[in-house]
């Protein structure tokens, strides 16, 4: 090989040395546990079937062998570095007069003079993430304070046991065959919005929004377009159904429609007679700040779960007070099936019974345990029917046992039962009861993100309206995220609630995201996209950037530096780092926290602060919200699977971005991203 640059030569020598030491240690043997496990099994048999006089001695021997087995397992490394890619970063430090090399990887190995550490857990990794080459460091490592100098700080790419990339302050080098080429590579940087460049913070957003510390939905009444106003001012009876892509103003229309109705007829549409129902807590908190700013105070803003639970307790006080959150997915899907409302209506009409709550409970029991009804549901297999029937028999058996006085019984309701029970009450008894005993009849109900409500739930809400049935339903089936419920198409939803599709109105302009973001977001939907072209947008912005890393730790390093710079450049920015699941969110939060990224928050249970800063959050929590910057994390092949549901989740994550979107991948991008980029 031709003479490589000095920094590359050092890394080649280091990798060769590490691989040789790993090879020597690969043959290291540990005490075998096979014989101990076999002996434990033998002793278990003796304790179970042997003479009673010998059991005490066997139990002592059993305890001794269990402790020995635990010691053996503790002595073994839980995970060893992969010889094909043992580390992704290298630092050289000088401390207490000694100079030594430390490599960062996914597993720790300190055998034979190696210093490979797990970046996620080893305290010394903070030196790499918090300091630059040449800087003095001081960190509390365990019980003592360690000081020194970071002499070298490099990121490397190692594939198939070969070095193919070195990024260092001395230059960025890529392998090309047997040669090395220096490339001009800048660290990824989030692009400040035009109004913040050159230190000129005008306070105005290109859409007319102000750069503000409060990240709640702003009052944008002055920006409502004619199409939105036409929906806001529709007739005050019957349904208004709003279809629109992400950022098209669906929530704005729904909330401004409440203000419009109240202004037109404040007596009929008094605040206590109207209700806003949303899918999750974050959206509830998000919109609850808007109505008072529109001059409407006292309108209830609730999630379906909290509203329906209160009503079930009120109408069926003898049933269990808490919902079971561990229902099998098949059972959940059946109880949320779009055909079930019509089946319940048919059942109530055909089954003579008194107009009582007890009869409504029997209607529910019949519905979920009738094999004929369940077999008629489209897309449900015979095996799934049998599983649902078994679950229903067990559930109803526990309810009956408790009713008969069996204190050992553990009755439960599934979350999905709430809607069925309330709808059964409406069909069998009549209107829902208020707390004081009157009927719960609303002059107007607005439902946001309706695609993630089941037709049974929507049927309950429609029937909770007064005789004018004034209800606003807004949503986007492309943003459907409830894998076991909700509606995958408008046709499915509207058929389930008995409304003609001609009532559907469409908002066609996306005001939230730039053209670049909207195009990417539509592309990741693939065949799930409902329109032939992306939604019309009002502005352009930076291109969507796809960042590919070899390891999560390398991604954390690049992202942390970019975020620290962004916070300096634009302190009022809101940023969402969106992951597929909670465990990945925790991994990145811990890594970025180690880098001392400011204003960093790990969001759990939709507890958003709606303040400037950086929220690390899984995708299920961000629906309906927006952020100035969004980074989708670990959008990698095998993580966001190539199926309709993950594609919709990726679409939801991307469309939270107002100004700029990054998509970070560890390894190959997921198919949805690769297709969108034409790779």
């Amino acid at each position: 090989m031709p003479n490589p640059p000095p920094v590359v030569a050092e890394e080649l020598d280091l990798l060769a040395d590490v691989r040789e030491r790993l090879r020597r240690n690969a043959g290291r043997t540990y005490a075998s546990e096979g014989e101990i496990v076999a002996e434990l099994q033998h002793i278990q048999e003796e304790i179970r079937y042997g003479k009673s006089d010998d059991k005490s001695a066997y139990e002592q021997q059993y305890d001794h062998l269990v402790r020995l087995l635990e010691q053996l397992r503790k002595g073994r490394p839980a995970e060893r570095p992969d010889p094909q890619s043992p580390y992704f970063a290298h630092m050289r430090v000088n401390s207490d007069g000694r100079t030594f090399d430390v490599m960062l990887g996914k597993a720790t190995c300190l055998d034979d003079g190696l210093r490979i550490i797990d970046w996620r857990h080893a305290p010394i990794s903070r030196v790499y993430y918090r300091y630059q080459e040449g800087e003095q460091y001081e960190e509390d490592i365990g019980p003592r304070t360690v000081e020194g100098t970071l002499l070298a700080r490099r990121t490397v790419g190692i594939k198939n046991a070969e070095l193919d990339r070195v990024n260092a302050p001395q230059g960025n080098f890529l392998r090309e065959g047997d040669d090395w080429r220096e490339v001009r590579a800048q660290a990824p940087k989030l692009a400040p919005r035009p109004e913040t460049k050159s230190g000129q913070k005008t306070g105005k957003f290109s859409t007319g929004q102000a750069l503000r510390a409060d990240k709640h939905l702003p009052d944008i009444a002055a920006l409502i377009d004619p199409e939105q106003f036409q929906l806001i001012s529709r007739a005050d009876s019957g349904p208004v159904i709003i279809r629109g892509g992400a950022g098209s103003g669906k929530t704005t229309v729904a909330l401004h429609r409440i203000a419009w109705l109240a202004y037109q007829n404040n007596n009929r549409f008094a605040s206590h007679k109207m209700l806003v129902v949303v899918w999750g807590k974050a959206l509830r908190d998000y919109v609850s700040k808007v109505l008072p700013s529109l001059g409407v105070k006292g309108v209830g803003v609730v999630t379906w779960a909290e509203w329906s639970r209160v009503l079930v307790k009120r109408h069926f006080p003898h049933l269990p007070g808490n919902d079971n959150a561990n229902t099998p997915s098949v059972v959940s899907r059946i109880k949320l099936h779009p055909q079930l409302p019509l089946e319940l209506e048919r059942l109530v009409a055909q089954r003579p019974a008194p107009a009582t709550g007890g009869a409504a409970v029997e209607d529910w029991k019949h519905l979920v345990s009738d094999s004929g009804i369940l077999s008629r549901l489209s897309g449900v297999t015979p095996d799934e029917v049998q599983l649902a029937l078994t679950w229903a028999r067990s559930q109803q058996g526990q309810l009956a046992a408790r009713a008969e006085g069996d204190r050992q019984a553990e009755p439960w309701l599934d979350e999905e039962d709430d809607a069925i029970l309330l709808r059964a009450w409406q069909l069998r008894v009549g209107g829902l009861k208020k707390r004081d005993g009157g009927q719960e009849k609303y002059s107007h109900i607005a439902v946001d993100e309706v695609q993630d409500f089941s037709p049974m739930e929507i049927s309950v809400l429609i029937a909770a309206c007064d005789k004018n049935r004034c209800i606003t339903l807004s949503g986007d089936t492309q943003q459907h995220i409830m894998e076991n419920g909700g509606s995958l198409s408008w046709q499915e939803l509207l058929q389930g609630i008995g409304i003609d599709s001609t009532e559907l109105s469409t908002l066609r302009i996306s005001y939230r995201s730039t053209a670049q973001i909207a195009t990417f977001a539509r592309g990741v939907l693939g065949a799930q996209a409902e329109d032939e072209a992306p939604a019309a947008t009002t502005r352009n912005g930076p291109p969507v950037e796809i960042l590919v890393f070899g390891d999560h730790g390398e991604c954390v390093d690049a992202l942390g530096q970019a975020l620290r710079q962004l916070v300096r450049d634009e302190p009022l920015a809101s940023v969402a780092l969106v992951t597929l699941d909670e465990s990945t969110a925790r991994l990145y939060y811990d890594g970025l926290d180690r880098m001392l990224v400011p204003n960093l928050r790990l969001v759990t249970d939709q507890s958003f602060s709606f303040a400037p800063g950086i929220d690390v959050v899984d995708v299920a929590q961000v629906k309906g919200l927006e952020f100035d910057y969004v980074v989708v994390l670990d959008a990698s092949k095998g993580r966001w699977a190539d199926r309709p549901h993950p594609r919709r989740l990726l679409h939801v994550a991307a469309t939270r971005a107002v100004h700029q979107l990054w998509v970070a991948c560890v390894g190959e991008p997921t198919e949805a991203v690769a297709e969108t980029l034409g790779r």
Side-chain angles (χ1 to χ4, degrees):
M1 179 184 298
N3 291 332
V7 67
V8 173
E10 281 190 17
E11 294 303 323
L12 288 168
D13 290 343
L14 177 65
L15 177 59
D17 181 58
V18 168
R19 293 196 64 236
E20 173 59 23
R21 293 172 189 262
L22 288 174
R23 185 192 63 78
R24 290 200 298 260
N25 281 279
R28 183 176 177 182
T29 60
Y30 296 85
S32 171
E33 64 182 57
E35 293 182 1
I36 298 177
V37 171
E39 183 63 17
L40 285 171
Q41 292 173 341
H42 170 70
I43 293 174
Q44 284 178 324
E45 294 295 316
E46 292 294 337
I47 293 174
R48 187 176 304 160
Y49 303 114
K51 297 178 180 179
S52 59
D53 295 343
D54 299 330
K55 285 186 178 180
S56 177
Y58 276 125
E59 287 173 351
Q60 291 181 4
Q61 187 179 0
Y62 186 87
D63 290 341
H64 171 73
L65 289 175
V66 166
R67 287 194 296 271
L68 178 60
L69 183 60
E70 289 175 349
Q71 291 174 0
L72 283 176
R73 288 176 172 172
K74 287 180 180 178
R76 281 194 190 138
E79 184 181 1
R80 296 186 65 80
D82 179 5
Q84 300 299 304
S85 182
Y87 54 92
F88 64 85
H90 162 221
M91 61 178 175
R92 181 173 299 134
V93 297
N94 179 276
S95 180
D96 296 330
R98 296 186 306 117
T99 298
F100 52 90
D101 294 296
V102 179
M103 284 70 73
L104 278 66
K106 299 177 184 177
T108 295
C109 182
L110 304 176
D111 298 332
D112 196 16
L114 285 171
R115 288 190 180 90
I116 302 177
I117 62 169
D118 186 332
W119 70 274
R120 298 165 294 184
H121 308 301
I124 191 65
S125 69
R126 282 179 291 189
V127 174
Y128 177 84
Y129 283 110
R130 295 181 180 180
Y131 301 88
Q132 298 301 315
E133 186 170 305
E135 290 184 345
Q136 303 289 318
Y137 66 84
E138 180 178 338
E139 289 291 331
D140 292 329
I141 307 296
R144 65 192 185 97
T145 299
V146 177
E147 301 179 17
T149 304
L150 182 57
L151 301 176
R153 185 187 189 279
R154 301 163 187 171
T155 303
V156 297
I158 303 172
K159 294 181 180 178
N160 299 322
E162 289 194 352
L163 185 71
D164 63 11
R165 173 174 54 84
V166 177
N167 298 103
Q170 295 76 20
N172 301 288
F173 304 94
L174 289 177
R175 178 195 289 272
E176 291 185 346
D178 290 336
D179 294 325
W180 285 86
R181 176 172 64 91
E182 185 172 4
V183 296
R184 292 184 176 274
Q186 294 182 339
K189 183 179 179 181
L190 289 160
R193 291 174 285 182
E195 60 277 12
T196 66
K197 286 184 177 179
S198 303
Q200 298 178 357
K201 296 187 169 79
T202 65
K204 286 294 181 181
F205 203 39
S206 55
T207 60
Q209 288 178 259
L211 290 174
R212 61 195 190 283
D214 181 1
K215 297 300 179 178
H216 287 92
L217 191 69
D219 176 6
I220 59 171
L223 302 177
I224 289 172
D225 65 29
E227 189 176 25
Q228 293 172 334
F229 182 77
Q230 185 178 8
L231 291 172
I232 289 169
S233 58
R234 282 276 295 271
D236 57 7
S237 62
V240 172
I241 306 171
I242 307 168
R243 167 186 180 257
S248 61
K250 301 182 298 298
T251 301
T252 297
V253 168
L255 299 181
H256 282 74
R257 178 162 166 74
I258 290 174
W260 172 269
L261 292 170
Y263 178 79
Q264 297 298 314
N265 190 335
N266 190 48
N267 184 46
R268 176 182 162 191
F269 293 103
S271 295
H272 69 278
K273 296 179 181 179
M274 293 193 287
L275 184 69
V276 179
V277 184
V278 297
W279 174 79
K281 298 176 183 177
L283 196 55
R284 176 199 62 194
D285 298 339
Y286 195 70
V287 303
S288 65
K289 304 293 184 179
V290 178
L291 288 173
S293 71
L294 299 179
V296 183
K297 299 180 179 180
V299 174
V301 182
V302 298
T303 66
W304 163 263
E306 60 192 8
W307 183 79
S308 63
R309 190 88 288 267
V310 167
L311 288 172
V312 167
K313 290 180 180 178
R314 182 183 303 165
H315 291 77
F316 306 98
H318 59 289
L319 292 179
N322 296 314
D323 282 335
N324 170 40
N326 299 307
T327 310
S329 59
V330 169
V331 176
S332 295
R333 184 163 60 86
I334 288 175
K335 289 186 175 183
L336 295 170
H337 198 282
Q339 293 172 227
L340 219 54
L342 296 178
E343 292 290 350
L344 180 58
E345 290 182 20
R346 186 180 297 115
L347 172 67
V348 172
Q350 294 176 352
R351 197 179 77 83
T356 64
V361 171
E362 292 304 311
D363 292 328
W364 160 67
K365 290 180 178 179
H366 278 79
L367 183 72
V368 299
S369 61
D370 187 309
S371 61
I373 291 176
L374 301 187
S375 298
R376 287 197 295 270
L377 302 179
S378 61
V380 178
T381 68
D383 287 345
E384 291 173 336
V385 169
Q386 290 304 311
L387 193 154
L389 293 174
T390 300
W391 182 264
R393 284 194 293 269
S394 177
Q395 182 184 27
Q396 294 175 24
Q398 291 296 309
L399 286 169
R402 175 58 64 88
E404 293 170 1
D406 182 359
R407 293 298 164 190
Q408 299 301 313
E410 298 181 352
W412 76 88
L413 290 178
D414 297 322
E415 293 178 352
E416 300 77 12
D417 289 324
D418 289 357
I420 302 174
L421 285 162
L422 293 176
R423 187 64 185 134
W425 176 283
Q426 290 172 328
L427 293 169
R428 180 65 69 181
V429 183
L432 299 175
K433 296 187 297 184
K434 290 183 178 179
R435 187 183 298 108
D436 60 10
Q439 278 205 353
E440 192 81 86
K441 289 292 184 182
Y442 293 96
S443 59
H444 179 68
I445 295 178
V447 184
D448 200 24
E449 302 291 352
V450 69
Q451 72 278 356
D452 282 311
F453 289 76
S454 73
M456 186 74 78
E457 293 162 347
I458 299 300
S459 296
V460 171
L461 292 170
I462 292 175
C465 293
D466 62 23
K467 63 181 180 180
N468 295 296
R469 299 295 171 94
C470 183
I471 189 167
T472 302
L473 307 175
S474 63
D476 176 15
T477 56
Q478 296 177 131
Q479 296 183 64
H480 174 267
I481 69 168
M482 295 293 289
E483 193 161 18
N484 295 315
S487 301
L488 294 174
S489 71
W490 282 103
Q491 180 182 10
E492 182 179 74
L493 173 62
L494 296 177
Q495 286 180 347
I497 60 179
I499 293 178
D500 192 274
S501 61
T502 57
E503 298 288 343
L504 184 65
S505 301
T506 301
L507 296 173
R508 302 187 184 280
I509 301 176
S510 175
Y511 292 98
R512 175 189 300 148
S513 302
T514 64
Q516 290 80 1
I517 295 169
T519 299
F520 174 85
R522 184 194 177 279
V524 299
L525 283 170
Q528 310 305 310
E530 295 178 352
D531 300 311
E532 293 183 1
T537 57
T538 59
R539 69 190 193 282
N540 288 309
V544 175
E545 292 198 46
I546 313 301
L547 309 176
V548 180
F549 301 94
D551 188 274
H552 294 289
E554 183 184 351
C555 179
V556 165
D557 180 28
L559 191 58
Q561 296 189 57
L563 290 170
R564 288 191 302 207
Q565 184 63 48
L566 179 68
V567 171
R568 289 192 291 268
D569 292 343
E570 200 173 335
L572 294 183
S574 62
V575 184
L577 310 182
V578 185
T579 66
L580 182 61
D581 52 42
E582 293 181 9
S583 62
T584 307
R586 169 65 69 176
L587 172 72
Y588 277 90
Y589 172 81
D590 289 344
L592 293 169
D593 184 56
R594 184 170 302 177
M595 290 191 72
L596 302 179
V597 172
N599 301 333
L600 187 69
R601 301 179 289 256
L602 178 66
V603 179
T604 59
D605 197 29
Q606 303 185 52
S607 56
F608 291 90
S609 65
F610 300 107
I614 302 159
D615 291 319
V616 190
V617 57
D618 60 280
V619 64
Q621 300 189 66
V622 299
K623 188 178 65 160
L625 309 183
E626 64 179 43
F627 303 85
D628 301 323
Y629 299 84
V630 169
V631 183
V632 181
L633 293 172
D634 203 8
S636 313
K637 196 170 186 178
R639 290 286 294 133
W640 298 66
D642 189 24
R643 294 186 292 106
H645 181 62
R647 280 179 177 264
R648 286 192 295 272
L649 293 177
L650 189 54
H651 173 80
V652 168
T655 53
R656 301 310 94 200
V658 173
H659 172 64
Q660 188 172 15
L661 172 66
W662 278 4
V663 181
C665 312
V666 175
E668 292 185 52
T670 185
E671 291 85 348
V673 173
E675 289 173 10
T676 304
L677 298 175
R679 293 187 178 182

